[in-house]
Amino acid sequence: MKNLVLLIGNDINNISAGLSWKDLLQDIITYCHTSGCIEIDEKKPFPLLYEEIFLTAIRQHHMKEKDLKAFIAGKTAQITPNQLHTAIRALQPEHILTTNYEFTLEGSTPTENTSLIRETTFSIFRKYTMDNIHYWHIHGDCLNPMSINLGFEHYGGQLQLMRNYVVSGTMYTNKAVPKESLIRRIKNKEIYFHSWIDLFFTKDIHIFGLSLDFVESDLWWLLTYRARQKFHHKTISVPNNIYYYIPEAYTERSKFKLDLLKANGVTVVSMPAPTKLAYYQGIIEKIGKTKPVRDTAIAL
């Protein structure tokens, strides 16, 4: 479906039997030999909990982060696809953004990286194109373990590069990367889909399977900056819409988060969820009936 853009999180993987996020966390602690040292508490933001586990492992066992992330990459690569992944591909979206590290959405492991540049650590341009769908792994992928975004330090570095790309301009040596900021390029009507970030200012985006916890500082910054441009600074036109899908039963307990999303110009869509599978099937069906919007960008 031309112009359809999806941002998909890990919850769609929970339809599949096997590794859960809690399982992965326990596996990380076990691998780092920190079982007796780390207290898992939901009050601890995960990026800081990751730092606690890793830094404890460094001090006690001289753990190397590349080994830890290679272990995590191997674990996430074991996640098996389910019927939702197939149904999502059947929509034939132009772009799929995902915070997931594995390639269940693609249906198979890509053989070619189609990013503008090759990134070893951060994920401003990380893209794989398969069957005319552009897949953007915005938090890294398991083929490149050091790109997997888990810790507080990694989030900070990602956000720094994101803000440069949007606000102040880039300093990449590769001449293919535009030096001017995204905001300036939009003002000059020079938009190219080099990065997944471009889509947040130019195309409608449907978000589902993603809890959007406040630890996702990079995404919350992007939503906030976009909203400030749209409602406050108004230096550029921001004509696109962003939709966030949530089960009806969760709307009351998530009111604080939904209020913040609405303040940032995000449209909240609550859906019935008799089962997790039926909930996501309902979203996919609803999106499939969405009329594509006119492409506001100039070039790809």
Side-chain angles (χ1 to χ4, degrees):
M1 181 184 295
K2 183 174 175 56
N3 298 329
L4 180 60
V5 181
L6 311 176
L7 169 53
I8 302 172
N10 183 67
D11 194 50
I12 63 166
N13 291 336
N14 292 330
I15 300 296
S16 305
L19 187 71
S20 69
W21 187 251
K22 287 185 177 180
D23 292 334
L24 177 60
L25 177 58
Q26 190 56 58
D27 287 344
I28 292 171
I29 291 174
T30 301
Y31 178 79
C32 292
H33 304 287
T34 56
S35 297
C37 311
I38 303 296
E39 180 181 355
I40 300 177
D41 191 311
E42 63 181 14
K43 296 184 181 68
K44 293 181 180 179
F46 180 78
L48 287 173
L49 176 59
Y50 172 85
E51 298 291 353
E52 181 185 8
I53 297 168
F54 173 57
L55 294 172
T56 301
I58 288 177
R59 296 198 310 273
Q60 295 185 354
H61 310 293
H62 305 288
M63 171 72 67
K64 294 181 179 179
E65 190 166 27
K66 67 177 183 178
D67 295 332
L68 173 56
K69 288 201 171 182
F71 169 78
I72 295 169
K75 283 289 183 179
T76 57
Q78 296 173 13
I79 296 174
T80 57
N82 57 56
Q83 61 263 53
L84 293 178
H85 301 101
T86 303
I88 289 167
R89 288 194 298 275
L91 289 174
Q92 297 182 313
E94 187 173 4
H95 301 272
I96 295 179
L97 289 62
T98 182
T99 54
N100 301 346
Y101 314 127
E102 87 296 332
F103 299 103
T104 48
L105 283 164
E106 287 91 334
S108 61
T109 302
T111 57
E112 181 184 3
N113 185 313
T114 55
S115 309
L116 182 66
I117 63 173
R118 295 296 179 90
E119 298 169 294
T120 57
T121 305
F122 301 108
S123 301
I124 306 301
F125 307 99
R126 190 174 305 280
K127 181 179 70 170
Y128 299 92
T129 302
M130 298 177 65
D131 297 324
N132 297 314
I133 301 174
H134 303 295
Y135 296 89
W136 305 83
H137 286 262
I138 68 177
H139 283 172
D141 68 76
C142 58
L143 288 180
N144 301 274
M146 287 305 293
S147 72
I148 292 177
N149 190 355
L150 288 168
F152 197 68
E153 194 279 333
H154 201 141
Y155 270 95
Q158 173 91 350
L159 180 51
Q160 180 182 20
L161 292 180
M162 287 173 60
R163 197 176 194 283
N164 288 347
Y165 185 86
V166 175
V167 182
S168 59
T170 68
M171 299 182 66
Y172 294 94
T173 56
N174 191 315
K175 293 182 179 179
V177 180
K179 297 298 185 289
E180 287 192 322
S181 70
L182 175 60
I183 295 302
R184 182 173 292 277
R185 286 187 284 116
I186 290 176
K187 287 180 68 174
N188 295 334
K189 301 187 184 304
E190 297 176 356
I191 305 171
Y192 302 89
F193 297 134
H194 293 321
S195 169
W196 59 272
I197 300 170
D198 301 325
L199 303 170
F200 267 77
F201 294 83
T202 56
K203 287 180 175 271
D204 288 1
I205 299 177
H206 300 265
I207 305 173
F208 60 92
L210 182 65
S211 64
L212 262 182
D213 290 335
F214 297 131
V215 299
E216 307 284 10
S217 55
D218 53 344
L219 292 174
W220 277 102
W221 173 82
L222 189 57
L223 290 173
T224 299
Y225 188 83
R226 173 186 177 275
R228 281 175 171 263
Q229 283 295 330
K230 186 169 185 175
F231 303 120
H232 177 52
H233 301 305
K234 299 183 179 179
T235 54
I236 62 168
S237 173
V238 184
N240 64 316
N241 300 299
I242 297 179
Y243 303 92
Y244 180 77
Y245 294 82
I246 186 171
E248 288 177 348
Y250 290 0
T251 54
E252 186 59 35
R253 74 181 76 169
S254 302
K255 183 179 183 301
F256 63 97
K257 179 171 67 178
L258 301 183
D259 287 345
L260 292 170
L261 286 171
K262 292 173 185 176
N264 280 280
V266 175
T267 300
V268 174
V269 183
S270 62
M271 298 281 292
T275 66
K276 188 182 290 288
L277 177 59
Y279 166 67
Y280 286 117
Q281 288 174 330
I283 291 175
I284 293 168
E285 182 179 355
K286 183 177 180 66
I287 292 175
K289 295 177 181 178
T290 301
K291 184 178 180 180
V293 298
R294 184 177 61 86
D295 195 342
T296 59
I298 294 177
L300 176 61

